[in-house]
Amino acid sequence: EAMKRYPDDKDSLLHMASVYEIMGEKKKAEEVCSDVSNHIMLGKWGEEIAAAYLRGQGYVILECDWRSGHRDIDIIARDADYLVFVEVKTRSNTDFHVPEFAVDHAKRVNLNHAIGHYIHSHHIECKTRFDTISVVGTIGSTPEINHYKDICITELKPRR
């Protein structure tokens, strides 16, 4: 069911590989693991494309892939008076869904916590904002890039 809804989701792919392994279908499990590796490489490529795009727009990249426990912030950058937290979503195509829709409620809650931790631990007192960048393409191609600025995530409350 998860694969139907989110075919590019790494956790769904890893779950599928585990199911194939349990069923004794080792070849299928290996194929899925290869897909996960390709998925991770595509994501890293998308983050590099997004960082290059931001630099081209005059942003100063401060951090890439900053971690707070199991949560992460893809890019932290300076844009004039703002400290900008950027979530990058990369897909090879938009056949199943557009990448920016992958920033769902749970992801926003995690980002909100990670951003709060970064602001607190670095004693940030300037204006901040949250942006998303979607990158659609494949490694070696010229991707389509969409930059969505100042997305509100602070009103969300963690699920209980």
Side-chain angles (χ1 to χ4, degrees), residues 100-123:
E100 52 272 19
F101 289 159
V103 185
D104 61 9
H105 177 79
K107 182 65 177 176
R108 288 176 186 231
V109 168
N110 282 331
L111 284 164
N112 200 17
H113 286 295
I115 290 168
H117 181 212
Y118 187 89
I119 289 169
H120 180 73
S121 66
H122 288 76
H123 310 288

Side-chain angles (χ1 to χ4, degrees), residues 12-23:
S12 295
L13 290 168
L14 290 172
H15 177 75
M16 178 188 263
S18 297
V19 169
Y20 281 136
E21 188 73 33
I22 290 167
M23 293 170 54

Side-chain angles (χ1 to χ4, degrees), residues 4-85:
K4 289 179 191 171
R5 291 183 25 219
Y6 305 107
D8 289 334
D9 181 70
K10 176 182 66 173
D11 292 330
S12 295
L13 290 168
L14 290 172
H15 177 75
M16 178 188 263
S18 297
V19 169
Y20 281 136
E21 188 73 33
I22 290 167
M23 293 170 54
E25 298 187 38
K26 189 172 181 166
K27 185 164 177 58
K28 284 186 179 180
E30 289 170 357
E31 289 172 6
V32 172
C33 286
S34 174
D35 289 345
V36 171
S37 177
N38 292 338
H39 177 79
I40 291 168
M41 287 177 20
L42 183 68
K44 289 296 177 194
W45 172 77
E47 289 175 13
E48 291 170 10
I49 293 293
Y53 164 82
L54 289 171
R55 282 187 199 97
Q57 299 296 311
Y59 290 64
V60 176
I61 305 299
L62 303 175
E63 308 249 12
C64 289
D65 206 22
W66 185 83
R67 297 208 168 272
S68 170
H70 68 279
R71 300 174 176 113
D72 74 319
I73 302 170
D74 293 334
I75 299 172
I76 302 169
R78 170 81 56 191
D79 177 33
D81 296 334
Y82 284 89
L83 183 64
V84 184
F85 300 93

